[in-house]
Amino acid sequence: MYLNGVASKKITYDAIVIGSGISGGYAAKELCEAGLKTLVLERGRDVKHIQDYPTAMTDPWDLPHHGKLPQEVIDENPIVKRCYAFDEATQHFFVRDKEHPYIQEKPFDWIRGYQVGGKSLLWARQTQRWSDYEFEAPARDGFAVDWPIRYADLAPWYSKVEKFVGISGNKDGIKSLPDGEFLPAWELNCLEKHIQKSVKENYANRHVIIGRCAHLTKPNPIHLAQGRGQCQARHLCYRGCPFGGYFSSNSATLPWAAKTGNLTLRPHSVVHSIIYDEQKGKAKGVRVVDSETKEVMEFYAKIIFVNAATLNTNLILLNSTSNRFQQGLGNDNGLLGKYVAFHNYRGSGGATFEGFEDQYYLGRRPTTAFMPSFRNLEKQEMDFQRGYMVAFSASRAGWQQDINQPTFGEDYKAKATNVGPWGVFIMMQGETVPREENHLRLSTDKKDAWGVPQLITSIGYDAENDEKMMKDFHQQATEMLEKAGCKNIYMSDSKQAPGLDIHEMGGVRMGKDPKTSLLNKFNQLHTCKNVFVTDGACMTSVGNQNPSLTFMALTARAVNHAVAEMKKGSL
């Protein structure tokens, strides 16, 4: 499409943000607050807070299949059906397998949410800060490249984000899991407290805490100003929360950006590529395909934030070729799309517990008990690299397990009104080590419906390192549950493919040296300084913590730098 000068002026902005999810929404908020006219491009449909949550208040018996997916949907979606949050009441927020095909060179379950807000409507909302144990790990243990920042660089931005988002938690005083700006915490139940006490008595370096999560237990004025209210502990979060009790782009950052008058939001906008200006030596805009009309158009801006989520961000940059960058934007070193890593969720287990029959709990708490990583913290001490967080929850078997059995009369009433024994579920969240062979690239002969090359995923486990880590988790989880007096302990390996963790990161990693990284310490492409990447693609390593809080902190820091550079005329 060829645009004349008048049309060009009409579609020029100060900043363009690609993607409206966790990091894209936060970029929009910060840019608009700084006074920049900002265009947010979202490839999916619009979703407005409250009015576009069609099942948020629907009772199970009012759903056609009582929450279960029809067999036809299951058969047609072998990938997305594996996601724990994909059901009859949430399916409208997920991408169906046929809607955006990709090529799996190795098994990879790509879970996507193409709508305004992205996966911020679907995330598990667990939020932990990184520490220097994570930022220093690559240099200390000899993998990937050294991070160009340390915890001190990000700490004030963590605080800024936490205050706006609303994070519940306790000041736990754990060196490897820094404290933050917290709302009142949720409470462990009686069995979880019992296990917490047992762990403290038996292990010097293991700490059980209540999980820190992006839920408003007691809203502050900033949250009320966003129009959000207290979390109701309904555990229906993946349908969209009409109370705004949990943080999403839809309930918080995008409306906040819109209030400034500086936001333009354009859904149905599939980004084809970033346009590079050969004469000026920087990016000048974004080429877009309208997802409904297939019209090709271009938008221009002084700075561009790429926040399309890890895999799509890599795809866009790889497809952004020019005479200057023939392998993809900023890809002089050939590392774009490489060193992708993820979290190892394969290990889990469970147990029963005899006791506490006279105790129960209130509501459906949106978080679990957590244990920060205790392996390889101060030095390499195991026969595998890095470590893992442990998450566990205790609950009582409920009437739901038996209510559908063909019973009547007194037996039916007893099953419907009495709770069963206590049980424990426990799982790992392990750090995987970025490896060059774990990569993404573009197909040379297959394109999607919008004319963009299909993405090839070639990402797998390290059989040696990742499986040794899982076996250690199995051993340690079994031991801790035994010491707490649990019975019928079992451990399992889900053997799930990478991707189902939905924590994929890397491919456009940060670093100090342009020869070994794509981004500098402020998330700018080394060789195209007006393009910033602050979603999961920017991560040099993946830590063992849930990553979304770190994405938002990096985004806030990068926007601050971009605005300062613009004021100086450097961008």
Side-chain angles (χ1 to χ4, degrees), residues 20-23 25 113 115-125 237 246-251 253-254 548:
S20 61
I22 286 280
S23 61
Q115 63 263 327
V116 169
K119 294 194 296 293
S120 76
L121 290 168
L122 298 165
W123 68 310
R125 308 165 306 283
C237 313
Y246 77 82
F247 171 82
S248 69
S249 295
N250 308 66
S251 67
T253 47
L254 291 176
S548 297

Coordinates of all heavy atoms in Angstrom, one line a residue, residues 20-23 25 113 115-125 237 246-251 253-254 548:
S20 N -1.2 -5.7 23.7 CA -2.0 -5.1 24.8 C -2.1 -5.9 26.1 O -2.9 -5.7 26.9 CB -3.4 -4.7 24.3 OG -4.1 -5.9 24.0
G21 N -1.2 -6.9 26.2 CA -1.2 -7.8 27.4 C -0.5 -7.1 28.6 O -0.5 -5.9 28.7
I22 N 0.1 -8.0 29.4 CA 0.7 -7.5 30.7 C 1.7 -6.4 30.5 O 1.6 -5.3 31.1 CB 1.4 -8.7 31.4 CG1 0.3 -9.6 32.0 CG2 2.4 -8.2 32.4 CD1 -0.2 -9.2 33.4
S23 N 2.7 -6.6 29.6 CA 3.7 -5.6 29.4 C 3.3 -4.5 28.4 O 3.6 -3.4 28.6 CB 5.0 -6.3 28.9 OG 4.8 -6.9 27.6
G25 N 0.2 -3.4 27.9 CA -0.7 -2.5 28.7 C 0.1 -1.6 29.6 O -0.3 -0.4 29.7
G113 N -3.8 -15.9 23.7 CA -5.0 -15.2 23.9 C -5.0 -13.9 23.1 O -4.4 -12.9 23.5
Q115 N -6.8 -11.0 22.1 CA -7.8 -10.0 22.3 C -7.2 -8.9 23.1 O -6.1 -9.0 23.6 CB -9.0 -10.6 23.1 CG -8.6 -11.0 24.5 CD -8.4 -12.5 24.6 OE1 -9.0 -13.3 23.9 NE2 -7.5 -12.9 25.5
V116 N -7.8 -7.8 23.1 CA -7.3 -6.6 24.0 C -7.2 -7.2 25.4 O -8.2 -7.7 26.0 CB -8.3 -5.4 23.9 CG1 -7.9 -4.4 24.9 CG2 -8.3 -4.8 22.5
G117 N -6.0 -7.0 25.9 CA -5.7 -7.5 27.3 C -4.9 -8.8 27.2 O -4.3 -9.2 28.2
G118 N -5.0 -9.5 26.0 CA -4.2 -10.7 25.8 C -4.4 -11.7 26.9 O -5.5 -11.9 27.4
K119 N -3.3 -12.3 27.4 CA -3.3 -13.3 28.4 C -3.4 -12.7 29.8 O -3.4 -13.4 30.8 CB -2.1 -14.3 28.3 CG -2.1 -15.1 27.1 CD -1.2 -16.3 27.1 CE 0.3 -15.9 27.2 NZ 0.8 -15.2 26.0
S120 N -3.4 -11.3 29.9 CA -3.6 -10.7 31.3 C -5.0 -11.1 31.8 O -5.2 -11.0 33.0 CB -3.4 -9.2 31.2 OG -4.5 -8.6 30.7
L121 N -5.9 -11.5 31.0 CA -7.2 -12.0 31.4 C -7.1 -13.4 31.9 O -8.1 -13.9 32.6 CB -8.2 -11.9 30.3 CG -8.7 -10.5 29.9 CD1 -9.4 -10.5 28.5 CD2 -9.5 -9.8 30.9
L122 N -6.0 -14.1 31.6 CA -6.0 -15.5 31.9 C -4.8 -15.9 32.8 O -4.7 -17.1 33.1 CB -5.8 -16.3 30.5 CG -7.0 -16.1 29.5 CD1 -6.5 -16.6 28.1 CD2 -8.2 -16.9 30.0
W123 N -4.0 -15.0 33.1 CA -2.8 -15.4 33.9 C -3.1 -15.9 35.3 O -4.2 -15.6 35.8 CB -1.7 -14.3 33.9 CG -2.1 -13.0 34.7 CD1 -3.2 -12.3 34.6 CD2 -1.2 -12.3 35.6 NE1 -3.2 -11.2 35.5 CE2 -2.0 -11.2 36.1 CE3 0.1 -12.6 36.1 CZ2 -1.4 -10.3 37.0 CZ3 0.6 -11.7 37.0 CH2 -0.1 -10.6 37.5
A124 N -2.1 -16.6 35.9 CA -2.4 -17.2 37.2 C -2.1 -16.2 38.3 O -2.3 -16.5 39.5 CB -1.5 -18.4 37.4
R125 N -1.6 -15.0 38.0 CA -1.5 -13.8 38.9 C -0.5 -14.0 40.0 O -0.6 -13.2 41.0 CB -2.9 -13.5 39.4 CG -4.0 -13.4 38.3 CD -5.4 -13.4 38.8 NE -5.7 -14.6 39.6 CZ -5.9 -15.8 39.1 NH1 -5.9 -16.0 37.8 NH2 -6.2 -16.8 40.0
C237 N -11.6 -16.3 38.0 CA -10.8 -15.2 37.4 C -10.6 -15.3 35.9 O -10.6 -14.3 35.2 CB -9.4 -15.2 38.1 SG -9.4 -15.3 39.9
Y246 N -8.7 -8.7 40.4 CA -7.3 -9.0 40.0 C -6.9 -8.1 39.0 O -7.7 -7.5 38.2 CB -7.2 -10.5 39.6 CG -7.7 -10.9 38.2 CD1 -6.9 -10.7 37.1 CD2 -9.0 -11.5 38.1 CE1 -7.4 -11.0 35.8 CE2 -9.4 -11.8 36.8 CZ -8.6 -11.6 35.7 OH -9.1 -12.0 34.5
F247 N -5.6 -8.0 38.8 CA -5.0 -7.0 37.8 C -5.1 -7.6 36.4 O -4.7 -8.7 36.2 CB -3.6 -6.7 38.2 CG -2.9 -5.9 37.1 CD1 -3.0 -4.5 37.1 CD2 -2.1 -6.5 36.2 CE1 -2.4 -3.8 36.1 CE2 -1.4 -5.8 35.2 CZ -1.6 -4.5 35.1
S248 N -5.5 -6.8 35.5 CA -5.4 -7.1 34.1 C -5.2 -5.8 33.3 O -5.5 -4.7 33.9 CB -6.7 -7.8 33.6 OG -7.8 -6.9 33.6
S249 N -4.8 -5.9 32.1 CA -4.7 -4.7 31.2 C -6.1 -4.0 31.1 O -6.2 -2.8 31.1 CB -4.1 -5.0 29.9 OG -2.8 -5.5 29.9
N250 N -7.1 -4.9 31.0 CA -8.5 -4.4 30.7 C -9.0 -3.6 31.9 O -9.8 -2.6 31.7 CB -9.4 -5.5 30.4 CG -8.8 -6.4 29.3 OD1 -7.8 -7.0 29.5 ND2 -9.5 -6.5 28.2
S251 N -8.7 -4.0 33.1 CA -9.3 -3.4 34.3 C -8.4 -2.2 34.8 O -8.9 -1.4 35.6 CB -9.4 -4.4 35.5 OG -8.2 -4.9 35.9
T253 N -4.5 -0.9 33.4 CA -3.5 0.0 32.7 C -4.2 0.6 31.4 O -3.9 1.8 31.2 CB -2.3 -0.9 32.2 OG1 -2.7 -2.1 31.6 CG2 -1.4 -1.1 33.4
L254 N -4.9 -0.1 30.6 CA -5.5 0.5 29.4 C -6.5 1.6 29.7 O -6.5 2.7 29.1 CB -6.1 -0.6 28.5 CG -5.1 -1.5 27.9 CD1 -5.7 -2.6 27.1 CD2 -4.1 -0.8 27.0
S548 N 5.7 -12.3 35.2 CA 5.0 -11.1 34.8 C 5.4 -9.9 35.5 O 5.4 -8.8 34.9 CB 3.5 -11.4 34.9 OG 3.1 -12.5 34.1

